[in-house]
Amino acid sequence: MPTIETYRKQAKLLVRWHREGNYSIGGKLRLVERYRHLTDREALDMAMPLALAQEIVAIEAGFPNWAALKAGAGDAVPGRAVADAPVLGGAIPILFVRDVTAAAAFYRDKLGFAVDFLHGKPPFYGAVSRDRAWLHLRFVHQPNFAELARREGSLILATIETGNVKALFEEYEIAGVAFAQGLVRQAWGGLDFHVRDPDGSVISFVQYSQPATRPSRLLPSAQASKAPP
């Protein structure tokens, strides 16, 4: 199990990653409540003092702050184990696309996302975000998952939880977005619609009937009961 010295090294590594322009810093920084709104680009543009990096490391380890981590890890007793369970952060879907620039433009112009970054000349990797939803885009010569999605009909490659999903659906209707599935009330209680991007990836925007409940055990049967779009 990690010691306090291990955590110190992790914090210094975060500072180095920030200095080197590593975009994974954005996901780390969003673990801190006051920075949850930042894009990956904004995270790199701001300062990353060691104290902030230590706060991030503490939160990742399941502590509210660095002082609590030091107390829990036993700062005066090197090698003392930490018993807290790992804490997972949010997941970011990576979509396979044939043209990163064109895909980013679709999510920006049609779906209202911001383009956080495009990496490479020409870009082979990028990221888009809207509010607290993030999607990463990776260049491939042939997006095979999209072909599978077309054959399977209702195969979803990313699900984005949405507040007031009806208003978002109306926004996309006005923008001329092509829907893979219209607005549907599902048997498991959610209200959702699907968008198919230019590479064939199906994105679901869903509003759950009970925000605290995630239908993880219901989704497979619910997906199987859907009619293909």
Side-chain angles (χ1 to χ4, degrees):
M1 297 296 289
T3 65
I4 189 62
E5 185 58 33
T6 300
Y7 289 125
R8 287 194 178 103
K9 291 178 180 179
Q10 290 176 356
K12 291 177 181 178
L13 181 61
L14 289 183
V15 172
R16 192 185 81 192
W17 283 358
H18 182 271
R19 184 172 62 249
E20 293 174 349
N22 188 323
Y23 278 98
S24 64
I25 285 295
K28 301 282 188 182
L29 191 58
R30 286 189 288 270
L31 295 174
V32 182
E33 182 64 35
R34 64 186 180 278
Y35 295 124
R36 287 190 182 276
H37 65 285
L38 293 183
T39 65
D40 291 342
R41 181 66 264 170
E42 290 170 336
L44 287 178
D45 288 341
M46 65 176 285
M48 175 65 75
L50 181 59
L52 177 54
Q54 290 173 337
E55 182 180 1
I56 293 170
V57 168
I59 292 172
E60 283 189 309
F63 295 90
N65 52 53
W66 182 252
L69 183 149
K70 289 176 65 178
D75 193 27
V77 185
R80 180 177 171 183
V82 179
D84 294 85
V87 177
L88 303 184
I92 300 177
I94 301 176
L95 305 179
F96 293 161
V97 302
R98 290 163 294 188
D99 186 323
V100 172
T101 302
F106 168 80
Y107 282 95
R108 180 193 63 210
D109 300 337
K110 289 291 188 179
L111 303 188
F113 282 64
V115 178
D116 294 330
F117 70 87
L118 298 175
H119 185 67
K121 296 182 180 180
F124 61 86
Y125 199 87
V128 295
S129 65
R130 175 167 174 171
D131 302 321
R132 291 175 62 183
W134 296 273
L135 296 172
H136 282 196
L137 311 171
R138 187 188 188 284
F139 168 77
V140 294
H141 291 285
Q142 179 60 44
N144 293 326
F145 282 128
E147 177 59 32
L148 178 62
R150 283 191 289 271
R151 293 202 308 268
E152 294 295 328
S154 60
L155 184 64
I156 296 169
L157 297 188
T159 296
I160 298 175
E161 185 175 355
T162 307
N164 198 349
V165 72
K166 290 182 180 180
L168 186 65
F169 181 76
E170 292 171 358
E171 174 188 327
Y172 288 171
E173 273 190 316
I174 294 172
V177 173
F179 297 104
Q181 173 202 285
L183 202 57
V184 173
R185 174 69 67 182
Q186 301 296 342
W188 41 267
L191 182 64
D192 71 346
F193 66 89
H194 301 169
V195 169
R196 181 176 283 112
D197 74 9
D199 292 282
S201 296
V202 176
I203 313 299
S204 170
F205 295 88
V206 59
Q207 182 174 351
Y208 296 110
S209 57
Q210 296 179 344
T213 303
R214 299 294 175 268
S216 56
R217 287 175 290 182
L218 298 179
L219 276 174
S221 59
Q223 292 286 5
S225 67
K226 290 181 180 179

XYZ file of all heavy atoms in Angstrom, residues 162-222:
469
model
N -28.279 13.623 -18.872
C -28.699 14.959 -19.279
C -29.847 15.453 -18.405
O -30.791 14.702 -18.137
C -29.173 14.940 -20.752
O -28.158 14.367 -21.562
C -29.498 16.334 -21.233
N -29.756 16.690 -17.959
C -30.876 17.319 -17.296
C -31.769 17.985 -18.338
O -31.273 18.557 -19.304
N -33.088 17.885 -18.168
C -34.058 18.446 -19.120
C -33.760 17.951 -20.529
O -33.459 18.727 -21.443
C -34.053 19.970 -19.088
C -35.318 20.556 -19.726
O -36.087 19.835 -20.363
N -35.509 21.848 -19.556
N -33.827 16.633 -20.699
C -33.492 16.015 -21.979
C -34.454 16.453 -23.089
O -34.073 16.510 -24.256
C -33.455 14.480 -21.829
C -34.848 13.901 -21.653
C -32.730 13.835 -23.001
N -35.683 16.802 -22.730
C -36.638 17.266 -23.741
C -36.159 18.565 -24.386
O -36.251 18.740 -25.606
C -38.024 17.477 -23.119
C -38.725 16.194 -22.709
C -40.112 16.487 -22.153
C -40.826 15.211 -21.743
N -42.181 15.489 -21.187
N -35.636 19.477 -23.568
C -35.145 20.745 -24.098
C -33.937 20.519 -25.008
O -33.790 21.179 -26.043
C -34.776 21.696 -22.956
N -33.076 19.576 -24.646
C -31.917 19.282 -25.477
C -32.353 18.671 -26.803
O -31.814 19.005 -27.860
C -30.966 18.334 -24.749
C -29.643 18.063 -25.469
C -28.803 19.338 -25.565
C -28.855 16.960 -24.765
N -33.340 17.796 -26.743
C -33.870 17.191 -27.967
C -34.422 18.265 -28.905
O -34.162 18.250 -30.121
C -34.960 16.178 -27.622
C -35.554 15.482 -28.818
C -34.859 14.469 -29.465
C -36.799 15.838 -29.299
C -35.395 13.829 -30.569
C -37.351 15.207 -30.394
C -36.654 14.194 -31.038
N -35.162 19.219 -28.345
C -35.717 20.304 -29.158
C -34.603 21.177 -29.741
O -34.685 21.620 -30.892
C -36.670 21.149 -28.309
C -37.938 20.402 -27.909
C -38.760 21.164 -26.886
O -38.316 22.263 -26.459
O -39.844 20.669 -26.511
N -33.546 21.424 -28.957
C -32.397 22.193 -29.447
C -31.776 21.511 -30.658
O -31.451 22.160 -31.660
C -31.360 22.322 -28.333
C -30.060 22.988 -28.767
C -28.986 22.921 -27.698
O -29.314 22.966 -26.501
O -27.784 22.806 -28.066
N -31.616 20.189 -30.569
C -30.992 19.452 -31.665
C -31.919 19.345 -32.875
O -31.450 19.309 -34.017
C -30.577 18.063 -31.183
C -29.378 18.073 -30.249
C -28.972 16.927 -29.579
C -28.643 19.244 -30.021
C -27.870 16.935 -28.727
C -27.557 19.264 -29.175
C -27.180 18.105 -28.525
O -26.098 18.118 -27.689
N -33.231 19.286 -32.631
C -34.180 19.307 -33.754
C -34.026 20.590 -34.555
O -33.980 20.572 -35.793
C -35.617 19.186 -33.227
C -36.104 17.785 -33.023
C -37.592 17.738 -32.749
O -38.079 18.574 -31.957
O -38.280 16.878 -33.310
N -33.941 21.707 -33.864
C -33.788 23.005 -34.521
C -32.475 23.064 -35.285
O -32.385 23.644 -36.373
C -33.869 24.143 -33.485
C -35.279 24.193 -32.875
C -33.501 25.483 -34.109
C -35.400 25.148 -31.709
N -31.432 22.426 -34.740
C -30.112 22.431 -35.385
C -30.036 21.473 -36.563
O -29.018 21.437 -37.265
C -29.038 22.077 -34.366
N -31.104 20.704 -36.793
C -31.110 19.780 -37.925
C -30.313 18.514 -37.696
O -29.828 17.897 -38.651
N -30.179 18.100 -36.431
C -29.442 16.877 -36.111
C -30.245 15.661 -36.563
O -31.464 15.604 -36.374
C -29.158 16.795 -34.594
C -28.552 15.449 -34.225
C -28.242 17.935 -34.180
N -29.570 14.682 -37.143
C -30.221 13.428 -37.541
C -30.227 12.487 -36.339
O -29.173 12.202 -35.762
C -29.489 12.796 -38.715
N -31.410 11.997 -35.958
C -31.532 11.138 -34.785
C -31.542 9.667 -35.181
O -32.216 9.270 -36.132
C -32.825 11.464 -34.017
C -32.864 12.868 -33.477
C -33.629 13.838 -34.103
C -32.125 13.208 -32.368
C -33.673 15.133 -33.614
C -32.155 14.511 -31.867
C -32.936 15.474 -32.501
N -30.794 8.879 -34.428
C -30.861 7.424 -34.593
C -32.089 6.879 -33.861
O -32.617 5.824 -34.208
C -29.594 6.767 -34.047
N -32.526 7.593 -32.839
C -33.761 7.272 -32.114
C -34.332 8.556 -31.564
O -33.590 9.393 -31.032
C -33.477 6.300 -30.962
C -34.693 6.050 -30.061
C -34.318 5.554 -28.689
O -33.951 4.399 -28.535
N -34.393 6.426 -27.682
N -35.624 8.740 -31.718
C -36.283 9.909 -31.162
C -36.408 9.797 -29.647
O -35.891 8.871 -29.020
N -37.111 10.733 -29.059
C -37.284 10.770 -27.609
C -38.208 9.630 -27.181
O -39.350 9.541 -27.629
C -37.871 12.124 -27.209
C -37.683 12.603 -25.780
C -36.206 12.670 -25.403
C -38.325 13.974 -25.598
N -37.708 8.745 -26.308
C -38.453 7.543 -25.910
C -38.389 7.380 -24.391
O -37.318 7.513 -23.793
C -37.868 6.279 -26.586
C -38.523 5.020 -26.035
C -38.050 6.347 -28.093
N -39.533 7.070 -23.787
C -39.572 6.705 -22.374
C -39.329 5.196 -22.288
O -40.115 4.404 -22.780
C -40.927 7.051 -21.748
C -41.107 6.569 -20.323
C -40.219 7.318 -19.343
N -40.626 8.728 -19.227
C -39.991 9.614 -18.476
N -38.905 9.243 -17.798
N -40.397 10.864 -18.425
N -38.212 4.804 -21.664
C -37.836 3.401 -21.612
C -38.529 2.680 -20.458
O -38.964 3.300 -19.487
C -36.317 3.274 -21.469
C -35.528 3.931 -22.592
C -35.779 3.281 -23.945
O -36.274 2.145 -24.009
N -35.455 3.990 -25.017
N -38.597 1.349 -20.568
C -39.260 0.540 -19.547
C -38.578 0.663 -18.191
O -39.220 0.531 -17.146
C -39.293 -0.924 -19.996
N -37.261 0.950 -18.195
C -36.533 1.066 -16.932
C -36.633 2.468 -16.327
O -36.026 2.761 -15.302
C -35.060 0.681 -17.106
C -34.414 1.174 -18.363
C -34.314 0.512 -19.546
C -33.769 2.437 -18.565
N -33.647 1.278 -20.479
C -33.300 2.453 -19.910
C -33.531 3.559 -17.761
C -32.616 3.546 -20.450
C -32.857 4.639 -18.302
C -32.415 4.617 -19.627
N -37.435 3.348 -16.958
C -37.747 4.642 -16.350
C -37.054 5.836 -16.955
O -37.458 6.962 -16.704
N -35.994 5.623 -17.727
C -35.276 6.742 -18.321
C -35.964 7.291 -19.562
O -36.741 6.608 -20.224
N -35.682 8.553 -19.850
C -36.161 9.209 -21.065
C -34.926 9.540 -21.883
O -34.035 10.266 -21.409
C -36.935 10.476 -20.713
C -37.546 11.277 -21.871
C -38.617 10.454 -22.597
C -38.146 12.583 -21.364
N -34.834 8.999 -23.110
C -33.603 9.203 -23.865
C -33.849 9.352 -25.353
O -34.929 9.050 -25.861
C -32.604 8.075 -23.610
C -33.007 6.749 -24.251
O -34.170 6.610 -24.673
O -32.148 5.849 -24.338
N -32.831 9.883 -26.036
C -32.808 9.887 -27.497
C -31.382 9.614 -27.932
O -30.428 9.746 -27.157
C -33.334 11.210 -28.077
C -32.473 12.415 -27.790
C -31.435 12.785 -28.644
C -32.710 13.217 -26.679
C -30.653 13.902 -28.388
C -31.925 14.333 -26.405
C -30.899 14.675 -27.261
N -31.225 9.210 -29.199
C -29.910 8.839 -29.718
C -29.546 9.695 -30.924
O -30.398 10.001 -31.767
C -29.886 7.368 -30.151
C -30.211 6.406 -29.066
N -30.456 5.059 -29.299
C -30.346 6.576 -27.715
C -30.717 4.457 -28.158
N -30.665 5.363 -27.180
N -28.275 10.044 -30.994
C -27.715 10.762 -32.132
C -26.632 9.886 -32.751
O -25.834 9.283 -32.030
C -27.119 12.118 -31.696
C -26.310 12.751 -32.825
C -28.222 13.055 -31.237
N -26.609 9.813 -34.081
C -25.527 9.105 -34.767
C -24.619 10.135 -35.416
O -25.061 10.958 -36.209
C -26.074 8.141 -35.819
C -24.973 7.362 -36.549
C -25.512 6.333 -37.536
N -25.987 5.141 -36.863
C -27.260 4.766 -36.786
N -28.207 5.518 -37.334
N -27.607 3.656 -36.167
N -23.325 10.107 -35.037
C -22.398 11.100 -35.580
C -21.953 10.714 -36.992
O -22.332 9.634 -37.490
C -21.223 11.316 -34.621
C -20.226 10.167 -34.604
O -20.314 9.254 -35.444
O -19.336 10.183 -33.738
N -21.192 11.550 -37.689
C -20.824 11.264 -39.077
C -20.052 9.962 -39.272
O -20.032 9.416 -40.374
C -19.960 12.475 -39.466
C -20.439 13.572 -38.579
C -20.768 12.912 -37.286
N -19.419 9.446 -38.202
C -18.688 8.182 -38.307
C -19.522 6.982 -37.894
O -19.017 5.860 -37.851
C -17.425 8.254 -37.453
C -16.419 9.234 -38.027
O -15.737 8.879 -38.996
O -16.340 10.363 -37.515
N -20.799 7.221 -37.593
C -21.694 6.125 -37.259
C -21.790 5.795 -35.785
O -22.530 4.889 -35.399
N -21.053 6.482 -34.930
C -21.127 6.225 -33.492
C -22.452 6.746 -32.944
O -22.847 7.881 -33.238
C -19.964 6.907 -32.759
O -18.726 6.357 -33.159
N -23.128 5.924 -32.151
C -24.413 6.305 -31.567
C -24.192 6.807 -30.145
O -23.620 6.115 -29.311
C -25.393 5.122 -31.575
C -26.702 5.506 -30.881
C -25.675 4.671 -33.010
N -24.646 8.032 -29.904
C -24.529 8.663 -28.588
C -25.929 8.780 -27.994
O -26.839 9.292 -28.638
C -23.889 10.065 -28.677
C -22.639 10.031 -29.561
C -23.584 10.599 -27.289
C -21.544 9.138 -29.076
N -26.098 8.298 -26.767
C -27.383 8.383 -26.077
C -27.361 9.535 -25.088
O -26.408 9.682 -24.307
C -27.667 7.071 -25.332
O -28.792 7.217 -24.475
N -28.395 10.365 -25.122
C -28.596 11.429 -24.134
C -29.800 11.013 -23.292
O -30.901 10.839 -23.814
C -28.846 12.768 -24.818
C -27.662 13.257 -25.613
C -27.497 12.874 -26.939
C -26.706 14.082 -25.049
C -26.404 13.311 -27.683
C -25.609 14.524 -25.777
C -25.463 14.132 -27.092
N -29.592 10.825 -21.990
C -30.631 10.214 -21.156
C -30.861 11.019 -19.890
O -29.924 11.566 -19.300
C -30.241 8.753 -20.802
C -28.908 8.701 -20.068
C -31.322 8.084 -19.965
N -32.131 11.067 -19.499
C -32.519 11.646 -18.210
C -33.158 10.531 -17.403
O -34.157 9.946 -17.826
C -33.495 12.803 -18.394
C -33.905 13.481 -17.090
C -34.759 14.725 -17.326
O -34.907 15.184 -18.453
N -35.308 15.271 -16.261
N -32.552 10.219 -16.249
C -33.079 9.152 -15.419
C -34.246 9.658 -14.593
O -34.267 10.812 -14.161
C -31.986 8.604 -14.496
C -30.843 7.957 -15.242
C -29.580 8.551 -15.283
C -31.033 6.762 -15.931
C -28.539 7.960 -15.975
C -29.996 6.171 -16.621
C -28.748 6.772 -16.646
O -27.716 6.193 -17.334
N -35.203 8.774 -14.349
C -36.375 9.184 -13.569
C -36.008 9.434 -12.120
O -36.610 10.252 -11.442
C -37.464 8.107 -13.653
O -36.953 6.856 -13.206
N -34.991 8.702 -11.608
C -34.507 8.906 -10.248
C -33.019 9.174 -10.331
O -32.238 8.255 -10.568
C -34.775 7.673 -9.386
C -36.262 7.381 -9.216
C -36.491 6.140 -8.377
O -35.586 5.348 -8.167
N -37.701 5.979 -7.892
N -32.579 10.446 -10.170
C -31.179 10.807 -10.358
C -30.198 9.964 -9.560
O -29.087 9.733 -10.001
C -31.134 12.272 -9.905
C -32.529 12.763 -10.095
C -33.410 11.590 -9.808
N -30.602 9.495 -8.380
C -29.659 8.752 -7.550
C -29.521 7.302 -7.989
O -28.686 6.562 -7.495
C -30.102 8.795 -6.088
N -30.388 6.857 -8.926
C -30.398 5.460 -9.339
C -29.854 5.324 -10.737
O -30.273 6.028 -11.641
C -31.842 4.900 -9.296
O -32.352 5.067 -7.978
C -31.864 3.432 -9.682
N -28.933 4.418 -10.942
C -28.402 4.123 -12.262
C -28.838 2.719 -12.643
O -28.525 1.763 -11.938
C -26.868 4.223 -12.284
C -26.375 5.602 -11.933
C -26.780 6.617 -13.004
N -26.417 7.959 -12.609
C -27.219 8.788 -11.964
N -28.418 8.397 -11.602
N -26.812 10.000 -11.660
N -29.542 2.549 -13.756
C -30.109 1.244 -14.088
C -29.088 0.288 -14.680
O -29.282 -0.281 -15.740
C -31.184 1.618 -15.121
C -30.605 2.808 -15.819
C -29.858 3.568 -14.743
N -27.949 0.099 -13.974
C -26.872 -0.714 -14.529
C -27.308 -2.151 -14.764
O -26.881 -2.784 -15.715
C -25.654 -0.682 -13.599
O -26.019 -1.101 -12.308
N -28.167 -2.678 -13.888
C -28.581 -4.053 -14.066
C -29.783 -4.169 -14.986
O -30.170 -5.262 -15.376
C -28.897 -4.679 -12.701
C -27.649 -4.981 -11.870
C -27.988 -5.487 -10.504
N -28.574 -4.427 -9.672
C -28.933 -4.608 -8.411
N -28.785 -5.788 -7.850
N -29.440 -3.605 -7.713
N -30.398 -3.057 -15.308
C -31.563 -3.083 -16.180
C -31.211 -2.804 -17.627
O -31.931 -3.202 -18.526
C -32.596 -2.047 -15.719
C -33.179 -2.247 -14.318
C -34.172 -1.123 -14.021
C -33.880 -3.586 -14.210
N -30.091 -2.123 -17.846
C -29.770 -1.685 -19.191
C -29.676 -2.797 -20.217
O -30.192 -2.655 -21.316
C -28.471 -0.870 -19.179
C -28.657 0.603 -18.819
C -27.299 1.282 -18.700
C -29.499 1.316 -19.865
N -29.034 -3.943 -19.929
C -28.930 -4.957 -20.972
C -30.272 -5.403 -21.510
O -30.485 -5.472 -22.709
C -28.187 -6.095 -20.268
C -27.388 -5.406 -19.209
C -28.270 -4.287 -18.746
N -31.244 -5.693 -20.600
C -32.544 -6.119 -21.072
C -33.286 -4.983 -21.740
O -34.026 -5.171 -22.701
C -33.373 -6.670 -19.898
O -33.535 -5.677 -18.897
N -33.076 -3.753 -21.212
C -33.738 -2.601 -21.828
C -33.218 -2.371 -23.228
O -33.969 -2.097 -24.155
C -33.518 -1.356 -20.968
